[in-house]
Every structure is written in C-alpha cells, then in structure tokens.
Amino acid sequence: MTAVFPDLAAAAEYHLKPGTVLDGEAVIWDGGGLSFDLLQERMANRHRSIAALVRDHPASFAAFDLLAIGGRDIRNRPLT
C-alpha cells in the first residue's frame, strides 16, 4: 500500500513513533466530502501516475483505534 499511498506513508513516518500501530482507513476529500471514486482511482492507478494523483488529490488517514505504541500491544488495556 506504500506505493499507492506514498503521501500517507511519509506522514506516518514523520508523525508516528516507531512501533505505533493504528487501525483506520485511507480517505480522499473532494469538495468538502469523501470521494470513493478518487480512492478507487488511486487504488487502480489506471490512467495517471501516482505522483499526479497525490498532487491533485492527496489522501488523508482516518484513525479509529490505537493498537500499539512503542511496540507494546495495548489492545487489552481498559478504555479509561
């Protein structure tokens, strides 16, 4: 997935500490809403280069859960 979402990979490398594991989804915003069509275009990469897709429609990451931090699994920790 790194080849399809180099923008997300770069952001994760910059912002997250090693050993961090997040659960979430890649999303692409278009005109104030999410665009499944643009996400599919990125995944299929049929017509344009990844660099052009990243430039024209950068991806974002919607994180749902933090599963590990610093390489330590925290899934069994209480939600307090």
Side-chain angles (χ1 to χ4, degrees):
M1 299 308 291
T2 301
V4 177
F5 294 103
D7 43 351
L8 295 183
E13 186 174 5
Y14 181 80
H15 290 287
L16 300 176
K17 293 181 180 183
T20 301
V21 179
L22 297 171
D23 181 19
E25 291 192 28
V27 296
I28 297 179
W29 293 91
D30 184 39
L34 298 177
S35 173
F36 189 69
D37 290 340
L38 289 173
L39 186 65
Q40 282 185 314
E41 182 180 349
R42 177 82 76 97
M43 297 293 292
N45 190 24
R46 290 183 292 241
H47 304 292
R48 300 169 58 193
S49 74
I50 287 294
L53 292 169
V54 168
R55 181 190 64 240
D56 294 344
H57 301 287
S60 297
F61 186 75
F64 306 134
D65 291 304
L66 176 62
L67 304 175
I69 191 160
R72 192 181 70 204
D73 186 342
I74 63 167
R75 291 176 292 169
N76 61 353
R77 304 240 357 233
L79 296 176
T80 55

